[in-house]
Amino acid sequence: MKKNKLTMKQIGDLLGVSQSTVSRVINNHPNIKKDVRERILKFIDENEFLPDYSAQILRGEKSKILGLLTVDFKNQYYLEIVNYVEKIAREKGYSIIVMNSERSSILEKKHIIELQKRGVDGIVACPVSEDNMSFIKKLGIPFVVVNEILKDYDSFSTSLFKGGEIAANFLINKGHSNIGYIGEYPSLKFDGFKSRYISNIDECNFFANLDSNFINDLESFIKNKGIQCSAYFVSSDFMALHFLKTLKKLKIDYSNIEFIGFDNTLLAEALGISSIEQPMKKMIELSLDTLTKKINGTCKDENKVLNIELDPTLLIRN
């Protein structure tokens, strides 16, 4: 008998326990006696047992796999989301499949169909298209939205508006009167920023572009308009990196300019700039707690939609 051809029933027979006990140990069920769990895990390890998850799914059992739809592997922020989702899902007994939509709604929909084929128990989505979230709902797959609030679906995010307010307040209190904005638009970050920054933001200190040409367009913008501000609020640490790289490339002295990024990723730390920090761990914990309750049918009110916005903070650096 080949080691990896053992079934859970055969393992149960060999160890004198039921097939369901073996299954609960494999799926990390908490209500198993310690000695029984250790004996089964030791046997599985020694015999290199590989559970047939495809067969389990066909029998209507849970796959213990979650799908994660993200939008950008180039941005450190989304890589940190992947890290937290994987870690917290693993602690809950789930594995994850990560799909990158590259900000394409068409690719996002293809990924959703693929995740359904893989038999995932649920999906964590950083969405590109709200229509695709409606598509997931029609498929009957439990899901949650992170990093954005969509009022019709369980959503968990940071208050981006408050983040923009915090950035503006800090720079105004530092005495800056001419503040620029570099980043995504329209956005709640910009709306919050402008609500506190009384002066009009005109074309001389405003640049917004998120498409694939944004780096080249940013360089052209700086060449044409120059640097006319004493401080800049940049809508992500990723953009801040390219903004500073472009200034350096153009040999523009920015030593007396103050910058605030957004997300407080490792990039902000490496650049030495202040940044708006999102409580990512808490956001992912809340979202996965909700998702696993939906999967297991333990939500107190399944018809209630959760829209939770967490407060950001400013991490100040020199």
Side-chain angles (χ1 to χ4, degrees):
M1 182 183 296
K2 294 182 180 180
K3 291 179 181 179
N4 62 347
K5 292 299 183 180
L6 281 171
T7 66
M8 283 187 280
K9 184 178 185 308
Q10 289 170 329
I11 292 173
D13 291 342
L14 289 168
L15 297 179
V17 298
S18 67
Q19 178 181 339
S20 61
T21 298
V22 177
S23 176
R24 287 198 294 271
V25 169
I26 290 171
N27 291 299
N28 201 29
H29 195 283
N31 298 327
I32 302 291
K33 290 181 180 179
K34 183 180 178 181
D35 62 323
V36 174
R37 181 186 300 277
E38 289 177 351
R39 190 154 53 95
I40 293 173
L41 290 176
K42 183 173 183 291
F43 182 90
I44 287 172
D45 183 56
E46 290 174 348
N47 290 272
E48 299 175 1
F49 171 70
L50 302 174
D52 188 347
Y53 288 113
S54 298
Q56 287 179 245
I57 294 168
L58 288 172
R59 292 195 298 269
E61 298 178 24
K62 296 287 191 294
S63 66
K64 304 298 289 185
I65 299 172
L66 302 177
L68 171 58
L69 294 171
T70 185
V71 298
D72 190 351
F73 282 164
K74 292 179 291 186
N75 190 331
Q76 177 71 28
Y77 174 74
Y78 292 102
L79 294 178
E80 292 188 10
I81 286 181
V82 173
N83 178 55
Y84 276 110
V85 171
E86 192 283 328
K87 181 179 179 180
I88 296 168
R90 177 164 28 93
E91 290 171 354
K92 291 179 175 291
Y94 290 85
S95 300
I96 67 166
I97 297 173
V98 183
M99 298 284 197
N100 180 15
S101 66
E102 299 177 6
R103 302 187 185 276
S104 163
S105 60
I106 295 173
L107 185 56
E108 182 178 59
K109 189 168 186 177
K110 289 181 179 179
H111 287 337
I112 292 166
I113 294 170
E114 181 63 26
L115 290 173
Q116 183 199 34
K117 291 178 182 177
R118 301 282 188 96
V120 297
D121 291 337
I123 293 175
V124 179
C126 299
V128 174
S129 164
E130 190 167 352
D131 288 342
N132 284 339
M133 301 304 100
S134 176
F135 179 62
I136 300 176
K137 187 174 181 179
K138 288 177 182 177
L139 293 176
I141 303 173
F143 74 100
V144 292
V145 172
V146 296
N147 201 47
E148 186 174 345
I149 297 297
L150 300 180
K151 63 182 181 63
D152 294 328
Y153 309 106
D154 291 332
S155 307
F156 304 84
S157 183
T158 303
S159 176
L160 305 181
F161 188 92
K162 285 185 181 178
E165 284 185 316
I166 291 169
N169 285 338
F170 176 75
L171 293 175
I172 290 169
N173 291 336
K174 288 288 291 291
H176 295 286
S177 59
N178 190 14
I179 306 172
Y181 175 83
I182 305 290
E184 56 187 304
Y185 176 84
S187 77
L188 291 170
K189 298 173 188 176
F190 176 78
D191 293 342
F193 173 68
K194 192 172 182 182
S195 73
R196 306 303 301 167
Y197 180 39
I198 299 171
S199 301
N200 290 325
I201 298 175
D202 59 31
E203 63 178 10
C204 292
N205 56 10
F206 176 89
F207 172 84
N209 185 354
L210 261 188
D211 66 26
S212 58
N213 293 318
F214 96 85
I215 296 174
N216 293 331
D217 290 346
L218 177 60
E219 183 173 338
S220 298
F221 172 83
I222 296 171
K223 285 179 178 178
N224 292 332
K225 302 295 181 182
I227 296 300
Q228 304 182 30
C229 302
S230 62
Y232 284 90
F233 172 45
V234 191
S235 68
S236 73
D237 296 338
F238 177 69
M239 279 198 165
L241 169 66
H242 288 288
F243 185 31
L244 295 178
K245 283 178 66 176
T246 304
L247 293 177
K248 187 174 182 179
K249 177 182 177 182
L250 297 176
K251 298 181 179 179
I252 295 174
D253 180 15
Y254 55 84
S255 58
N256 292 321
I257 301 174
E258 187 148 14
F259 301 92
I260 292 185
F262 207 104
D263 300 330
N264 194 36
T265 61
L266 292 173
L267 289 177
E269 184 178 348
L271 294 171
I273 62 172
S274 301
S275 186
I276 304 295
E277 183 172 60
Q278 303 195 53
M280 188 186 294
K281 182 180 179 182
K282 186 175 181 181
M283 178 178 73
I284 300 303
E285 285 175 340
L286 289 171
S287 62
L288 284 182
D289 185 58
T290 298
L291 180 58
T292 52
K293 285 179 179 176
K294 292 171 73 171
I295 291 169
N296 296 317
T298 57
C299 287
K300 291 182 179 179
D301 186 355
E302 293 185 3
N303 296 318
K304 182 180 179 181
V305 176
L306 294 175
N307 289 158
I308 296 178
E309 275 194 321
L310 303 172
D311 289 338
T313 55
L314 173 62
L315 200 150
I316 301 170
R317 296 184 177 90
N318 292 331

